[in-house]
Amino acid sequence: MVEVTVTPQSSLADRPVQIRVRGLSPSQLVTLRAWLKDEQGECFQSRAFFRADGAGEVDPGLHAALGGSYSGVWPMGLFWFLQPDTLFQRLVKRDVAGSPFRVRLEVLDGLCVGTEPQQQPLGSCEAERWYVGPGVQRVPIREGRVRGALFLPP
């Protein structure tokens, strides 16, 4: 059984996480895909191709991506290289305090290059990426022509 894990599962958006895939065949070619839908329903995704090591594992922090959205060793590459399915869209988080981005991580057999995979994932998991930590207060600022927000720690 193929298992995909992200540690920690819930974290602040600027904190690194560790992605690991276990249970593959040694030297198996796989596609790791990350995707999310923003608050407007637009889909953003990234993918990277990997060859499993001798133990049947893939760790983007140790193993180089062979291609896809990026190549080389990028521990956070699947998050950093998210691209919109619709051209000229930007990934923007409006409700920073109320909800996280939920990033779905999937491992697919072989090299999958289409925007929608034609097969079921071998394994998947979900990561929460928060933009405001617990207990932080958001105070709107409106002073003359100045608009902004002040974030106060607990």
Side-chain angles (χ1 to χ4, degrees), residues 7-71:
T7 308
Q9 184 268 330
S10 182
S11 64
L12 290 173
D14 64 344
R15 300 285 187 233
V17 295
Q18 182 181 37
I19 301 166
R20 186 163 283 159
V21 181
R22 292 185 177 98
L24 299 168
S25 300
S27 300
Q28 182 177 354
L29 278 172
V30 294
T31 300
L32 249 103
R33 175 180 178 243
W35 65 275
L36 65 86
K37 289 202 177 199
D38 71 2
E39 294 157 330
Q40 270 55 45
E42 291 291 332
C43 187
F44 291 77
Q45 63 180 309
S46 63
R47 69 188 69 241
F49 311 133
F50 291 92
R51 183 176 299 281
D53 65 12
E57 296 184 1
V58 170
D59 181 344
L62 299 175
H63 304 122
L66 306 173
S69 301
Y70 66 95
S71 59

Side-chain angles (χ1 to χ4, degrees), residues 57 60 89-90 121 136 145-146:
E57 296 184 1
Q89 295 295 317
R90 287 186 17 213
V136 173
R145 294 184 352 200
V146 175

Side-chain angles (χ1 to χ4, degrees), residues 82-132:
L82 287 166
Q83 294 293 315
D85 283 355
T86 306
L87 292 177
F88 308 113
Q89 295 295 317
R90 287 186 17 213
L91 184 59
V92 175
K93 183 72 173 143
R94 302 257 183 240
D95 180 17
V96 294
S99 65
F101 271 141
R102 297 182 195 288
V103 182
R104 189 91 179 146
L105 298 163
E106 299 173 339
V107 62
L108 303 156
D109 189 29
L111 306 179
C112 300
V113 294
T115 56
E116 288 298 320
Q118 303 301 314
Q119 60 184 339
Q120 288 285 59
L122 299 173
S124 64
C125 70
E126 190 173 83
E128 291 182 347
R129 304 294 281 170
W130 289 88
Y131 283 78
V132 175

